[in-house]
Amino acid sequence: MPIRCFTCGAVISQYYEEYADKMKKGEEAGKILDGLEIKRYCCRRMFLANVNIDEFIINYRRY
């Protein structure tokens, strides 16, 4: 997760853990972002478009 929004520069990484926990519980993404008071659509995009690649990388061995 980027530390800042690419467009407006707002710090958003501090909300990611809470967002990820609530997503795992099955809550709706829009309601989570409203609850975290993330109103700008550029910042919301950062959460909705983020892909956690750690799960994919861990399957590859280092030679």
Side-chain angles (χ1 to χ4, degrees):
M1 182 70 183
I3 295 172
R4 293 185 177 268
C5 175
F6 294 149
T7 305
C8 69
V11 178
I12 57 173
S13 63
Q14 62 194 8
Y15 302 112
Y16 183 71
E17 286 185 35
E18 186 174 350
Y19 173 79
D21 290 340
K22 290 183 178 184
M23 283 297 290
K24 286 181 183 176
K25 293 178 184 176
E27 293 185 38
E28 187 178 328
K31 290 183 181 181
I32 297 170
L33 293 173
D34 289 341
L36 294 173
E37 296 183 3
I38 299 173
K39 303 293 183 190
R40 293 185 186 135
Y41 64 89
C42 59
C43 296
R44 293 171 79 94
R45 173 210 53 200
M46 298 298 289
F47 283 92
L48 297 174
N50 184 43
V51 176
N52 189 1
I53 61 171
D54 294 341
E55 297 169 4
F56 299 111
I57 294 174
I58 203 163
N59 292 328
Y60 296 101
R61 295 194 308 178
R62 185 174 176 184
Y63 293 103

